[in-house]
Each structure stands twice: as C-alpha cells, then as structure tokens.
Amino acid sequence: MAMAYRKGTGTRRWGVCLAGSALLGALVLALAPTASAAPPDPSAFTMTWVPSPGNDTIPLAKDNLTNILTSTADWTATSGGSCAALAAEKNTQPPVDSSFCWQMNDAHNDNAVPYWIPQGVSTVSDSVDDESWNGNRAVMVSWYYDNSDGKDPNPGEVWTNKGVRLTVLNPDTKKYKHILLVEPTTGPGMYKPVQVHAGGIVWYGRKIYIADTKNGLREFSLDNIYDLVKDARGDSTDNTKVGYNEDDDKFYSYGYRYIIPQSGQWKSKNAGPDDYCNQGTGPLRNSWLFLDRHTVPDRLVIGEYCDNKADDGSHPPQPPGRMVAWNIKDGELDNANWVATGDSAWELPRFTDNANNTTQGGGTNDGGANWYFNTSSGEHNGTLRHWRYANGSWSKVQDVPAPIGPEDMSYSRNWYPGRFWSITEHLDHRIIYTQCSAACP
C-alpha cells in the first residue's frame, strides 16, 4: 500500500471546501484504493548545509524587494481570458480561474524568448503568514537558460549557460522585473551563473529555495539584492558578461539590473539522477518544490518528475516517483548540526496505468489528505490530478484539464483562496495562472 512515513506532528486545517467540484473537467471517481510498492523511508534522505562565503560582501549597492515591487519593476503583464486561451488547445480551454500573460511586444517578449524557460512558482502566500510583503502581494517565477538549439540572441557569441533568473511580479500593478541569480566564487570574478534546471521554487520568509535536480536545494537571501544601476561600477547593459572584470573595474550581470548571490546549498548526500528517475531507489531527483503551511511545523516538499524512455523511444512501466517532506523550524530546514533529514515520504500514485508520471508540480490544500499534481502532455493540455491519501492508500478523485505545459505549483490560502498558482513553459504558450483545487469560494 502507498504509505507515507511520518515522524508524527500535529496538523492544522484551513477552511477549503473539498466536496462538489466546480471545475467541470473530466470527473473520474475512484472505486478502490490503488496498490503500490513499499514507501520510501524518509530518514534515508538527508541534506547538508554548505554555505557560500562572500554572498553578503559583494561591493555593490543594495536594494530591496519592496522597492522592486513598487518602483523599479518596468515590464508589464496583461491578464484576462485571452491569457488563458494562449496556453490551451483549440476548443478545449481548461477551467483556469485567473491568468496573466508576460509582456509581448517588439521591445520585450517573454512569451517568445526561446532561451529562457519558466519552471518554478511561489507566492507571498508561501512567504509570510499574513500573505502581505509590506502591503504588497507578489508572485515569483524561476527560469532556466537553454541554448542547446543555438537560440542565443548573439549569434557570434561563444555559448555560455547563463543559469537561472528570478521574476518578481506584482499582480495588482501587473509590473514585473527579472533578477539574475548568481553563485559567489573565490576567484577575481566574485560570482558566476547558477547553472541548474530550477524546476521548483519556494519563497519562505526572506529565503528563496531553488531545486537543484541532482544535488538538493540552492538557497538565496532577499537581504542581498544587489543593484547594478544604482552603483557606478555596475553595468546592466552588456548581456554577454557576468561577474567582476578587473580590466575596466566593472561588475556585469548579463544585462540585468539586479543580482542575488547564493547564500548556500542544502546538498544531498549523494548526487541524484539528472535526466531520469532511478527506479524508485537511491538519491532523490529534486524536480519540483511545494511549501505546505497546513501542518505544524510548516514543511517543504520535494517531488520527482519521472519520464524514462527506452532505446526505441517507448515508455516502459517504471516507479511513479517519490515525494519527501522536510520540516521547517525557526525559519530553517529542521536540522541537527546542519544536517536536515526528511520527515515524511511517499511513493506517488500511479497516474497512467503503471506507466510514466510526467509530474511537473504538486501540492496539498489540507496538510496531506488531498493532493493535487500537475502532469504534462507535450503540446497538448496538461492535467490537474486530484488524489486522496488515507489509511496508507491513494484513491483517485478526479482529473481536470490544465493548460499546455503546466509546471510547479504553489497554494494560495486566503489570497486567491482555494487556488493553486502555476505557470506554463512552452514557447508562445506561457502564462501564470490560478486553478481551483476544489469548489472555489
């Protein structure tokens, strides 16, 4: 049976209606629990804190998130029904509740930029208990850089992986700004790109966690937002350079105004698989993240995306992937001598008749009785899958159409109540959206 091991903590519930879905999707009720392999042992999953010296001593002027949300964000999103249609198959538009499109014009078009790909999402509802950042609401999105098809805008440039950027969106003003994430170095350049897939993000307090597929989590601090426009030695116009250049005494950021250096890593004991799951054993593949504020204490959930392919291109049956939850205490992952150990672990339900689970994101709206998973299907609509977990077993509740290319998920408690935030990744089909977890208020 699909049991979840847990060390035993209390659970607090939020008033979200779970009965009588208003989503109108393809409703499929489970007749019986599903069987699965023995659950993973959470104590087998550990991560060790490795600090990044120099993240708070880069000699540049600093700014803060509040100022970015209210003053310096200079790109404009749009919202409304046309955005939802942008990421939907013809005549099969999913029941999206709210949606935002990235800026799309000749000067700046994030919907059509081929080399930056959105992946993770988190909101102020994750970050703070009252869901307000100095009076502002905000959404954060992670993007990874991909020039594997020669898509860089500078054809003569030697290809360099520019790493990860973070977008902060104020949905009330519809203004947003991109920020380059960097990793401090001991060399003269002072920092370099963070070259990970960034498939999931959690914004918790003043910390930002980014999924590192093979190695655990990368952590960044909002106390260290450096502004290259405010500083005379900063250059935010040259999109071919990064780091400090001694020759001209300038700091570069691939053309971005802001950088946030990595404060450290929560590093897995062993490097996990990069492209595929490893048959349900061994190190975790850190594909997506979720922040659960419905338990005591809060917990960060890491889940796997599995899509093994045989040599002939077929998809043979495989384990469906795993989830591991890590408790948060005093603003940090709960740890002993800076070693964090998983608190709970599950084998994911088998969504597709024991075949592959292309699970891009997941989350719960009640602390673990009901779980929702975004699964993708190439250029077709994805699926928001609702499963119930009780007495050690998964039971399917319903499948609901999701936009094309759905990714990571973040739950909104009282702000956009009862909704999950998510994003879509495919070129020309990119939106930020909310979708009801059940009957929305």
Side-chain angles (χ1 to χ4, degrees):
M1 306 297 282
M3 298 179 67
Y5 282 112
R6 187 98 192 266
K7 292 179 181 175
T9 57
T11 300
R12 64 174 182 260
R13 308 271 178 176
W14 294 84
V16 178
C17 178
L18 297 175
S21 172
L23 290 175
L24 300 180
L27 181 63
V28 181
L29 296 178
L31 298 179
T34 62
S36 67
D41 178 359
S43 66
F45 301 95
T46 62
M47 294 187 292
T48 301
W49 174 248
V50 180
S52 298
N55 68 92
D56 57 352
T57 58
I58 295 173
L60 285 169
K62 289 186 178 182
D63 206 339
N64 60 75
L65 179 61
T66 302
N67 191 49
I68 295 173
L69 289 170
T70 58
S71 301
T72 65
D74 51 5
W75 295 308
T76 305
T78 56
S79 62
S82 60
C83 287
L86 185 70
E89 290 185 275
K90 187 176 181 181
N91 301 322
T92 57
Q93 184 167 324
V96 169
D97 185 61
S98 301
S99 57
F100 297 85
C101 291
W102 302 106
Q103 181 169 305
M104 293 181 287
N105 57 33
D106 292 340
H108 192 88
N109 191 338
D110 283 319
N111 184 50
V113 61
Y115 41 86
W116 283 111
I117 303 172
Q119 291 291 294
V121 66
S122 188
T123 78
V124 72
S125 190
D126 291 335
S127 178
V128 287
D129 206 35
D130 67 358
E131 301 172 283
S132 174
W133 191 269
N134 294 329
N136 300 286
R137 299 185 292 186
V139 178
M140 288 189 179
V141 173
S142 63
W143 309 59
Y144 78 96
Y145 188 84
D146 181 7
N147 191 41
S148 58
D149 296 324
K151 300 170 181 175
D152 196 275
N154 305 297
E157 178 187 349
V158 176
W159 175 63
T160 300
N161 184 341
K162 296 181 179 180
V164 177
R165 70 181 185 185
L166 177 74
T167 302
V168 292
L169 166 71
N170 184 332
D172 295 316
T173 65
K174 299 184 179 62
K175 295 292 185 179
Y176 67 94
K177 191 74 174 177
H178 298 311
I179 299 170
L180 185 71
L181 300 185
V182 298
E183 181 178 354
T185 66
T186 56
M190 295 193 187
Y191 53 87
K192 63 182 181 179
V194 177
Q195 296 176 343
V196 299
H197 188 74
I201 176 176
V202 161
W203 170 23
Y204 190 79
R206 304 193 69 82
K207 301 180 187 299
I208 299 168
Y209 297 99
I210 298 287
D212 181 341
T213 310
K214 296 180 65 173
N215 297 304
L217 301 172
R218 304 291 187 107
E219 182 184 296
F220 302 81
S221 173
L222 291 174
D223 292 325
N224 297 317
I225 302 176
Y226 292 97
D227 186 346
L228 279 77
V229 168
K230 187 184 295 185
D231 198 291
R233 292 196 295 170
D235 186 315
S236 63
T237 61
D238 190 330
N239 64 4
T240 68
K241 299 178 183 178
V242 69
Y244 175 66
N245 188 315
E246 291 181 319
D247 293 339
D248 58 9
D249 191 28
K250 290 286 186 181
F251 288 84
Y252 294 91
S253 56
Y254 289 138
Y256 291 95
R257 174 171 181 171
Y258 295 104
I259 61 170
I260 302 179
Q262 177 181 292
S263 52
Q265 300 181 56
W266 284 101
K267 199 163 186 178
S268 300
K269 180 171 57 177
N270 299 304
D274 189 7
D275 296 327
Y276 309 113
C277 290
N278 55 355
Q279 303 304 315
T281 60
L284 190 69
R285 184 173 192 240
N286 307 279
S287 302
W288 48 266
L289 305 182
F290 181 78
L291 194 283
D292 184 6
R293 278 184 168 267
H294 296 90
T295 57
V296 179
D298 299 335
R299 58 183 178 172
L300 188 152
V301 180
I302 303 177
E304 290 185 310
Y305 171 97
C306 299
D307 188 21
N308 284 2
K309 292 182 180 179
D311 291 339
D312 62 2
S314 64
H315 293 255
Q318 68 169 44
R322 300 161 293 176
M323 292 190 301
V324 179
W326 312 76
N327 285 340
I328 297 176
K329 183 179 180 181
D330 299 326
E332 296 278 3
L333 294 189
D334 193 11
N335 67 85
N337 297 318
W338 296 103
V339 177
T341 301
D343 173 72
S344 310
W346 303 258
E347 182 183 76
L348 291 169
R350 297 178 181 272
F351 300 130
T352 52
D353 299 323
N354 295 332
N356 298 275
N357 288 348
T358 53
T359 305
Q360 304 279 14
T364 176
N365 62 1
D366 60 6
N370 290 273
W371 288 87
Y372 301 80
F373 302 99
N374 265 346
T375 59
S376 57
S377 183
E379 295 296 329
H380 302 290
N381 284 342
T383 304
L384 178 63
R385 303 187 186 277
H386 177 188
W387 285 70
R388 187 165 289 129
Y389 185 82
N391 300 319
S393 298
W394 289 106
S395 296
K396 185 175 182 178
V397 180
Q398 64 180 358
D399 284 350
V400 175
I404 296 171
E407 287 288 320
D408 198 32
M409 296 170 65
S410 173
Y411 186 68
S412 185
R413 292 170 286 121
N414 298 305
W415 174 46
Y416 287 86
R419 278 86 166 169
F420 283 101
W421 284 89
S422 190
I423 56 171
T424 60
E425 68 169 338
H426 291 307
L427 191 68
D428 297 320
H429 297 289
R430 294 172 178 165
I431 63 171
I432 309 168
Y433 68 95
T434 63
Q435 194 162 12
C436 291
S437 59
C440 285

